[in-house]
Amino acid sequence: MSGAVSSALPSAGAPFSRANRAGGAKRVLPGFHITLGFSILYLSLIVLIPLSALVFRTFTLTWDQFWVAVTAPRVMASYRLTFGASLIAAVVNAVFGLLVAWVLVRYKFPGKRIVDALVDLPFALPTAVAGISLTALLAGNGWVGQLLEPHGIKLAFTPAGIVIALIFIGLPFVVRTVQPVLEDAEKELEEAATSLGATRLQTFTKVIFPSIAPALLTGFAMAFARAIGEYGSVIFIAGNMPMISEITPLIIIGKLEQYDYAGATAVALVMLVISFLLLLVINGLQAWQRRRAGA
């Protein structure tokens, strides 16, 4: 009986093996053409059609009108503030987000789960609430502001306050991107480096950092992109002073309130193009880092 069963097993498994070799294994989702069609339809409705409407509305302007709208001194000042503050916030989040992820993965301490949950607070907290809370905290009569302003340090209603708000809303992107990579890192490689005489700094720079660098760049890109389009948490703490603390999203809102729809879409298009180019550069750096790590 056992011989009969064993002799039947190869014949039963043969069709499955031939199907695997032929690439005909069953898939959970429908075929390629159906899923591709649904994917393109979904992306068109959610992304491509709204962006195309933005471009087509901008084309109602002549080149001179477009150039005047996007290069006005007030708009240029908002570009410098928005992209500069977003870049600073993303760099700070890349450093301290890596530190927070490292502590959550590598150490055990009382209240660890609470700290881990607090990282996601900016995700759950409405941005307007975050802006009001930071303003109340950093204003001249706030808990922190009243201690700093006597020393000439003013955070609320200044570009510094904008950077702080962007750091607050961008930190989870870095932590949640780097954390799973650190959890999956092979500690045997670190032990091998230590046994070969490597210092802690050498182990981190030569063994750990190359493996987490793509994830760190991804978190940096996500935090940077999130900061560029942030409005709710910044609008309360910025002060919204033209040429000083006025962000580009506020310029767009102001043009919409004045029924200057073409001017608003022109400024939005410039932000879209710059953001896309910056993300393209960051993705290129990620691909280069992966190729380097693979080599």
Side-chain angles (χ1 to χ4, degrees):
M1 178 66 70
S2 60
V5 173
S6 61
S7 62
L9 288 176
S11 61
F16 179 74
S17 301
R18 286 195 296 269
N20 282 343
R21 287 196 297 269
K26 292 184 178 180
R27 296 178 175 87
V28 176
L29 295 177
F32 170 75
H33 298 289
I34 297 177
T35 53
L36 178 62
F38 277 113
S39 300
I40 294 177
L41 176 63
Y42 182 80
L43 289 176
S44 299
L45 293 175
I46 302 299
V47 179
L48 298 180
I49 293 178
L51 292 183
S52 63
L54 177 70
V55 175
F56 291 146
R57 190 56 185 261
T58 305
F59 282 164
T60 60
L61 297 173
T62 64
W63 173 253
D64 292 335
Q65 292 173 332
F66 173 80
W67 187 254
V68 169
V70 301
T71 59
R74 186 172 173 181
V75 176
M76 294 297 293
S78 72
Y79 290 152
R80 290 190 291 268
L81 176 61
T82 299
F83 288 98
S86 299
L87 181 61
I88 294 173
V91 171
V92 172
N93 280 328
V95 175
F96 289 96
L98 173 59
L99 180 61
V100 172
W102 182 273
V103 171
L104 291 175
V105 172
R106 294 301 179 94
Y107 299 102
K108 295 181 180 180
F109 53 90
K112 178 179 176 179
R113 292 187 177 180
I114 297 177
V115 175
D116 194 20
L118 287 176
V119 171
D120 293 327
L121 183 62
F123 284 150
L125 193 68
T127 55
V129 175
I132 294 173
S133 302
L134 290 174
T135 303
L137 185 66
L138 301 177
N141 56 353
W143 291 352
V144 177
Q146 65 181 353
L147 300 177
L148 297 179
E149 286 204 1
H151 301 284
I153 302 175
K154 187 176 180 180
L155 297 179
F157 315 121
T158 65
I162 297 176
V163 173
I164 293 174
L166 296 181
I167 291 173
F168 176 79
I169 59 101
L171 180 64
F173 291 95
V174 179
V175 176
R176 293 310 184 211
T177 305
V178 176
Q179 189 174 357
V181 179
L182 281 175
E183 291 175 348
D184 294 337
E186 298 180 2
K187 294 185 179 181
E188 291 80 4
L189 297 177
E190 302 175 36
E191 296 172 356
T194 303
S195 64
L196 293 174
T199 63
R200 292 184 178 180
L201 180 60
Q202 290 174 331
T203 302
F204 179 79
T205 56
K206 302 296 183 180
V207 178
I208 301 174
F209 187 77
S211 64
I212 65 174
L216 186 61
L217 277 174
T218 301
F220 170 83
M222 294 173 65
F224 180 69
R226 179 70 176 84
I228 289 175
E230 178 59 22
Y231 178 79
S233 64
V234 175
I235 196 68
F236 294 100
I237 199 172
N240 309 318
M241 292 178 285
M243 309 295 293
I244 298 176
S245 61
E246 189 177 38
I247 59 175
T248 305
L250 182 61
I251 293 284
I252 298 173
I253 294 296
K255 288 182 177 294
L256 290 175
E257 291 176 347
Q258 297 168 8
Y259 301 101
D260 184 10
Y261 299 117
T265 56
V267 176
L269 181 62
V270 171
M271 286 194 69
L272 175 65
V273 171
I274 296 177
S275 302
F276 179 78
L277 291 176
L278 290 174
L279 291 177
L280 187 64
V281 170
I282 293 172
N283 288 333
L285 290 174
Q286 289 177 316
W288 172 78
Q289 180 66 29
R290 291 191 186 98
R291 288 195 302 268
R292 183 182 178 186

